Amino acid sequence: MTQTINQIVTWLPQLLEGAKITVALTLTSVSAGLILSVLIAYGKICKIKLINLLCSFYVFFLRGTPLLLQLYFVYYGLPRIIPAFTIESRFLAAFITFTLNSSAYLSEVVRAAIISIDAGQIDASQALGLTYRQTFIKVILPQGLRMLLPPLGNEFILVLKDASLVSIIALSDITRVTRNIASSTASGLVYIPAMIIYLIITAFFEYSFRKIEKKLISK
């Protein structure tokens, strides 16, 4: 038992380094994806047909293809087609892929939140002289983001777990570090602390979003 504990303690620094990359990728890609999703959602509900079609295809393509293939394409495939788009940083390649993928899913949530808002508020805003853009930013978006919070929390957790896919491009997240340790030590025990770390991070995200949601509801 003591030997097992000592082994886990020696693995922890490497696992925590992997956890930093996993958390950083999750936070940055979902945050950037949220910003991009607002633009995509706005494009899908705008009255300019070309923008509407382009945004609709964007969402269809990214939601209709596996995230793993998207990651392969951005890091391995795209540089072969267009050498100028070669991405040396594995983290940057993962960030771009996860941001685009996350924005496609979140854009549908944002769009649903926006169209659920009472049309009377939009009419009242326009009657006060606000343009459609001003109405979107000052009236629709603040209410939509409040409704967006629960699914946004789910998206963080989903991306946190999907981040394990980055091990295929040799980015040292928790999963890759765990596999390396298991391979070098021929021990399956390392999977236990790795899963516990995932659970702790997930619990932290869930707790944080519940607190934020309660604050917003109480306002």
Side-chain angles (χ1 to χ4, degrees), residues 80-148:
R80 294 186 179 183
I81 300 171
I82 309 174
F85 286 170
T86 299
I87 302 173
E88 298 293 340
S89 169
R90 293 182 176 89
F91 185 89
L92 180 59
F95 167 75
I96 292 171
T97 306
F98 278 74
T99 295
L100 296 176
N101 185 273
S102 185
S103 69
Y105 282 92
L106 287 175
S107 67
E108 287 298 283
V109 179
V110 172
R111 186 178 67 87
I114 290 170
I115 62 177
S116 68
I117 295 171
D118 186 7
Q121 296 186 45
I122 299 174
D123 295 335
S125 300
Q126 293 176 340
L128 291 171
L130 295 179
T131 64
Y132 185 80
R133 180 174 171 275
Q134 290 173 326
T135 301
F136 180 83
I137 294 173
K138 295 181 179 181
V139 179
I140 299 173
L141 191 57
Q143 296 181 67
L145 288 177
R146 184 176 296 184
M147 298 169 62
L148 174 66

Side-chain angles (χ1 to χ4, degrees), residues 28-181:
T28 55
S29 61
V30 177
S31 298
L34 176 61
I35 295 170
L36 184 56
S37 73
V38 174
L39 300 177
I40 301 300
Y42 180 77
K44 287 198 69 175
I45 62 176
C46 81
K47 297 177 182 179
I48 301 174
K49 191 171 183 180
L50 179 60
I51 294 176
N52 191 295
L53 286 173
L54 288 173
C55 290
S56 296
F57 178 76
Y58 174 92
V59 173
F60 170 75
F61 179 80
L62 288 168
R63 291 183 63 177
T65 55
L67 178 57
L68 181 60
L69 281 183
Q70 294 168 19
L71 187 58
Y72 267 125
F73 178 74
V74 170
Y75 190 68
Y76 294 115
L78 191 58
R80 294 186 179 183
I81 300 171
I82 309 174
F85 286 170
T86 299
I87 302 173
E88 298 293 340
S89 169
R90 293 182 176 89
F91 185 89
L92 180 59
F95 167 75
I96 292 171
T97 306
F98 278 74
T99 295
L100 296 176
N101 185 273
S102 185
S103 69
Y105 282 92
L106 287 175
S107 67
E108 287 298 283
V109 179
V110 172
R111 186 178 67 87
I114 290 170
I115 62 177
S116 68
I117 295 171
D118 186 7
Q121 296 186 45
I122 299 174
D123 295 335
S125 300
Q126 293 176 340
L128 291 171
L130 295 179
T131 64
Y132 185 80
R133 180 174 171 275
Q134 290 173 326
T135 301
F136 180 83
I137 294 173
K138 295 181 179 181
V139 179
I140 299 173
L141 191 57
Q143 296 181 67
L145 288 177
R146 184 176 296 184
M147 298 169 62
L148 174 66
L149 198 58
L152 179 61
N154 291 335
E155 180 67 11
F156 265 101
I157 293 170
L158 287 173
V159 172
L160 175 70
K161 291 183 288 187
D162 286 343
S164 62
L165 295 175
V166 301
S167 61
I168 65 160
I169 60 172
L171 184 60
S172 298
D173 70 319
I174 300 175
T175 299
R176 181 171 178 80
V177 170
T178 302
R179 288 169 57 188
N180 288 343
I181 293 173

